[in-house]
Amino acid sequence: MATSDKVAAVEEITQKLRDSNAAVVTSYTGLSVAQLKELRRSLGENAQYRVVKNTLTKIAANEAGIQLDEHLKGSTAVAFVTGDPVEAAKGLRDFAKDNPALVIKGGVLDGKALSADEIKKLADLESREVLLAKLAGAMKGKQTQAAQVFQALPSKLVRTVDALRAKQGEQGGAE
């Protein structure tokens, strides 16, 4: 590969790392072209799976301020994730279950290095949309409880005032 091609490749990988909120490094030895195509489809629209050269990726990762050196050994491909990292992690995990030749080495999420086990834990999470829906439901429930408390205070005050009036009326009639 000519030097200008290498420089362009480093710039492209650096830009992909900067634009991505997550990147997952894998080993793909033993996967056919058809299997790689299937893997790319399983990752969804918000992830790009690319076979990369280790030395160029090390340079690009250093330029992007990311530590990937320990994962860049042997045949390497990177899933650059611009959307929900949970969805991409699930896609990789599920594909690796059916195709043991795919090995998740590690990666990075929002600049923080992740081990292979941490990526598998990420895949076990529910999607962002589900978590947001649960949070919204919990917040709505708390709002309903607060509204009930605020409604109860004035009605309790009215009942207390009525009870005081009734008591005063009884005391006034007894004199």
Side-chain angles (χ1 to χ4, degrees):
M1 191 183 275
T3 307
S4 62
D5 291 342
K6 290 179 182 178
V7 169
V10 167
E11 287 176 6
E12 182 183 354
I13 295 168
T14 302
Q15 194 59 44
K16 285 191 178 299
L17 287 169
R18 286 184 179 147
D19 292 344
S20 303
N21 54 3
V24 180
V25 180
T26 65
S27 174
Y28 64 92
T29 302
L31 293 177
S32 68
V33 173
Q35 288 172 319
L36 286 173
K37 191 173 183 180
E38 180 185 339
L39 172 59
R40 287 183 174 101
R41 267 190 259 122
S42 71
L43 290 177
E45 297 174 9
N46 298 322
Q48 263 191 338
Y49 189 75
R50 294 222 12 225
V51 173
V52 294
K53 288 191 172 283
N54 292 336
T55 53
L56 300 180
T57 305
K58 283 180 187 179
I59 295 167
N62 289 334
E63 285 183 16
I66 297 172
Q67 270 311 110
L68 291 177
D69 291 359
E70 66 186 74
H71 305 301
L72 298 174
K73 294 177 180 87
S75 62
T76 304
V78 179
F80 299 99
V81 184
T82 55
D84 185 9
V86 174
E87 180 184 343
K90 283 182 184 189
L92 287 167
R93 178 200 60 196
D94 295 345
F95 188 85
K97 283 181 186 176
D98 297 335
N99 302 282
L102 179 74
V103 178
I104 298 172
K105 296 180 180 181
V108 64
L109 174 65
D110 293 328
K112 180 186 176 282
L114 298 176
S115 67
D117 289 335
E118 289 172 321
I119 291 172
K120 290 173 185 169
K121 287 178 185 175
L122 181 66
D124 292 336
L125 290 176
E126 293 175 329
S127 72
R128 182 177 188 270
E129 289 77 19
V130 171
L131 292 174
L132 288 174
K134 285 184 175 184
L135 177 64
M139 290 173 60
K140 184 177 180 187
K142 294 297 179 189
Q143 288 176 342
T144 303
Q145 288 175 344
Q148 290 170 348
V149 167
F150 292 138
Q151 283 179 336
L153 290 175
S155 63
K156 186 174 182 181
L157 177 65
V158 169
R159 287 194 302 271
T160 304
V161 170
D162 286 344
L164 284 173
R165 282 188 189 146
K167 189 173 184 180
Q168 285 178 349
E170 289 174 9
Q171 288 177 354
E175 290 178 17

